[in-house]
Amino acid sequence: MFSFAVGSALSIASILLVVVALAAMLIWVERRLLGFWQERLGPNRVGWFGILQVVADMIKIFTKEDWVPPFADKFTFVLAPAIIMIVVLMSFAVIPFTPEVGVIDSNVGVLFVLAMASLGAYSVMLGGLSSNNKYALLGSLRAAAQMVSYEVFMGISLLGVVVLSGSFNLREIVETQADGWYILPQCIGFLIFLIAGVAESHRLPFDIPEAEQEICAGYHTEYSGMKFGMFFVGEYLGLVLISSLITVLFFGGWLGPAFLPPIVWFSLKAGVFIAFFILMRAALPRPRYDQLMSYGWLFLLPLSLVNLLITGAVVLGTM
Amino acid sequence: MFKLIKDTLLSQAVTLWGVFRKLFVKADTVQYPDEPPYMFPRWRGRIILSRDPDGEERCVACNLCAVACPVDCIALQKTETEDGRWYPEFFRINFSRCIMCGFCEEACPTNAIQLTPDFEMAEYERQDMVWEKEDLLIDGVGKYHDYNFYRVAGKQVAGKDKGEALNEAQPVDVRSLLP
Amino acid sequence: MMLLFYLAAVVAVIATVCVIVQTNIVHALIYLILSLLAVAVIFYTLGAPLAAMLEAIVYAGAIMVLFLFVIMMLNLGQNTREQERAWLAGRGWILPALLAAVLLAQLLYVLSGVEGMSAPEQVGVMAVGARLFGPYVLAVELASILLLAGLISAYHLARKPGAEDE
């Protein structure tokens, strides 16, 4: 019982704990890194190097008044933040962290992640719709269009990897990368997946649904207390999820030279991508809404289709 | 096509690299309470009332500062000593209204009211932000070391008669025919 | 697996009933999503993981999002809820209930003819793909032509009037 194996209680509990704790810690990591990249220090007062800032924030957010606006649709309003947490945590079920650590070994892992990502759109949409607020509604309209569109390219850009590995199982995808990571043959697919991943977790520069400077805070304008906290942690969980997925699909998951254990390799690779996402937030400006849409449909969609076509042709030709 | 790639990918990559390099640049932050920041002498902070080099109050209670104040935070009442020297009976500044604009300093004809580089004025009670003359008045001359209003003005006070001020001509003797 | 099947079936039936009787359209939509997800679980227990995932991605994930998108645009308030309540009360129930009862009777009759459910066996993604592009390739092509027609007509409808000259 107390040994790591795919699906064991210990494995599931440690994944759940580590992932949620990591997402909370990321709030501090992100603020610190953003500080360094903007030539300031970031939070460094609470605890060692400000590491207890997270605890302080948590105490604040837990003890805040949990307010539901009287004009809101209460059922939906309460439901919305729960959806994003559930959906993102469910997605972690199929991620193979190491050969031993994982929750399930699904034959449709890639599709499962895509399904959960598409359900994540409801959280944002219902949150905005139930708030009964114009800014929130605008935010959720934007979120709906953005997430439905970018889901398409996300799925198609993954299919190149699926064609090469011949499996929808994420664990098998990692194992087939033993003789070469898929970043080399699938560099276009990787780029598209990266962009779509940012758009899907609506992080900057694609945080159009919650653009503070344009529409207040978008879909979570009316949220406060722990309900807002769940949206917040859900966003960071999404960040961890996208980084893990990139690691698994394109960078060989836990594979690496044997002097480090597999979990360290996985965390290192995922950590690099988390840092990269934060760097994108620090550096890149937000595109306009129609630019995002036309960029997706007119540039990324054809590119991902061509990528899939060429990959398929090459695989057929070498078979 | 090349332009598209250049615009979408290359320029973003250049930006990302430029921002990434900032990781190795020293931060501009001053760790304020531990590390006091350098305050410029002309910084507009807490307001004081200064004294002239003789140690008398500079303020002549002309009310120009109260008139100039855009938020009406200055209140004062004029009174006189027996020898004719004007001074404020009370002088009150409500710092919870003050916006540190410095208009009072510009309006003051005697350089009495001055703004200092001190800005640490937090209180728990709002009433504690109202400062009376005893709180405002300092024992020094502030930014203007030599200026003494009564020494240059024609006003007659104890120890200085008409015509004894700096650069002042003797008063015209209307009963004399001499030029 | 059997328990899971029945549980999901019960959830699907209750959620679908709630879709019909709900007067708040957003709540009805949430119940519809729940019903679709329950159907996805049923697919999974019947040994069709691909169909289950596609149900979740396409129906629950994409089509329902578009429904919600449209509802957001419509600005439905208290008035529509009262109208809905008025429609639901009274004799409007009789005919649909009768039709549904006929359908249910047929279903029961058909099911009674089946002797024992065969044990569910997993059908992999590859097997489904091979079938689609093997014996059923004609159906796939027909479906793709239908989708192409839909795409072209959507483009035609969305085009700005007077933009033909460009």
Side-chain angles (χ1 to χ4, degrees), chain B residues 36-154:
Chain B
Y38 173 71
M39 301 303 297
F40 295 90
R42 290 190 185 183
W43 174 275
R44 298 198 304 264
R46 180 166 59 84
I47 297 172
I48 51 110
L49 287 175
S50 60
R51 291 176 187 272
D52 59 25
D54 300 340
E56 302 287 339
E57 283 178 41
R58 266 181 182 156
C59 180
V60 295
C62 66
N63 268 309
L64 281 176
C65 51
V67 171
C69 183
V71 289
D72 288 344
C73 69
I74 303 178
L76 69 153
Q77 174 67 53
K78 179 226 144 190
T79 185
E80 284 181 31
T81 55
E82 285 163 5
D83 60 334
R85 209 182 150 107
W86 289 24
Y87 71 98
E89 188 184 353
F90 68 84
F91 196 105
R92 190 175 294 144
I93 297 184
N94 184 350
F95 277 111
S96 61
R97 292 184 68 93
C98 179
I99 56 172
M100 313 293 171
C101 63
F103 283 7
C104 49
E105 185 175 5
E106 287 181 28
C108 186
T110 64
N111 289 337
I113 194 162
Q114 291 177 16
L115 276 73
T116 59
D118 179 25
F119 58 93
E120 292 160 326
M121 292 196 300
E123 297 288 348
Y124 285 104
E125 292 287 324
R126 180 160 292 202
Q127 201 54 40
D128 294 346
M129 296 293 280
V130 178
W131 288 36
E132 296 293 339
K133 195 168 111 181
E134 303 83 71
D135 311 318
L136 295 166
L137 204 59
I138 63 168
D139 285 336
V141 291
K143 285 179 249 186
Y144 308 95
H145 301 292
D146 308 322
Y147 185 76
N148 188 334
F149 173 71
Y150 284 106
R151 217 181 281 158
V152 295

Side-chain angles (χ1 to χ4, degrees), chain A residues 37 39-40 44-45 284 299, chain B residues 12 19 22 28 31 34:
Chain A
W37 279 319
E39 289 187 40
R40 32 184 199 98
N44 63 345
R45 289 275 153 184
L284 299 182
F299 181 64
Chain B
Q12 312 290 340
V19 173
K22 297 286 181 193
D28 280 338
Q31 299 273 51
D34 307 336

Side-chain angles (χ1 to χ4, degrees), chain A residues 153-265:
Chain A
F153 329 128
M154 198 169 161
I156 296 174
S157 63
L158 285 184
L159 286 183
V161 170
V162 172
V163 167
L164 282 180
S165 66
S167 169
F168 274 111
N169 187 332
L170 286 168
R171 194 167 292 276
E172 284 173 18
I173 288 176
V174 173
E175 277 157 4
T176 52
Q177 294 182 66
D179 46 350
W181 297 349
Y182 287 142
I183 174 68
L184 282 178
Q186 284 296 317
C187 55
I188 297 175
F190 163 68
L191 277 179
I192 297 168
F193 184 77
L194 191 74
I195 295 169
V198 179
E200 197 63 17
S201 55
H202 38 84
R203 298 240 340 141
L204 276 115
F206 293 153
D207 70 331
I208 291 169
E210 47 187 303
E212 279 95 345
Q213 293 84 357
E214 300 164 24
I215 48 170
C216 222
Y219 59 90
H220 56 59
T221 305
E222 294 290 348
Y223 281 89
S224 67
M226 201 47 217
K227 294 203 194 72
F228 168 74
M230 279 163 94
F231 274 125
F232 205 57
V233 172
E235 189 186 315
Y236 283 99
L237 280 175
L239 180 64
V240 178
L241 178 70
I242 293 291
S243 306
S244 313
L245 271 180
I246 290 174
T247 309
V248 166
L249 291 167
F250 297 99
F251 286 85
W254 67 76
L255 299 172
F259 59 87
L260 285 176
I263 186 70
V264 175
W265 276 115

Side-chain angles (χ1 to χ4, degrees), chain C residues 2 5-6 9 13 42 46 102-118:
Chain C
M2 216 54 188
F5 172 81
Y6 283 115
V13 169
I42 291 175
L46 290 180
V102 171
L103 205 61
L104 185 67
Q106 281 180 335
L107 202 64
L108 287 176
Y109 177 72
V110 170
L111 282 181
S112 66
V114 180
E115 58 277 341
M117 261 175 62
S118 56

Side-chain angles (χ1 to χ4, degrees), chain A residues 73-76 79 106-108 110-116 118-119 121-122 124-126 128-129 137 140-142 144-145 148 151 166-168 289, chain C residues 24 26-27 29-31 33 37 44 49-50 52-54 56-69 71-73 81 122 124-126:
Chain A
D73 178 1
K74 193 159 186 236
F75 170 66
T76 323
L79 184 70
S106 174
N107 279 328
V108 285
V110 175
L111 290 174
F112 185 77
V113 170
L114 287 177
M116 287 302 128
S118 60
L119 290 182
Y122 285 116
V124 177
M125 293 180 72
L126 292 176
L129 183 58
L137 186 69
S140 51
L141 277 176
R142 289 175 171 200
V148 169
E151 240 158 53
S167 169
F168 274 111
Y289 180 61
Chain C
N24 186 330
V26 177
H27 293 186
L29 211 65
I30 295 173
Y31 279 118
I33 296 161
L37 288 178
Y44 199 88
L50 183 69
M53 288 305 138
L54 289 184
I57 295 175
V58 176
Y59 285 98
I63 293 177
M64 284 300 123
V65 168
L66 293 180
F67 273 42
L68 201 56
F69 195 84
I71 285 170
M72 278 185 194
M73 302 281 210
R81 200 181 300 179
Q122 291 265 333
V125 179
M126 279 211 175

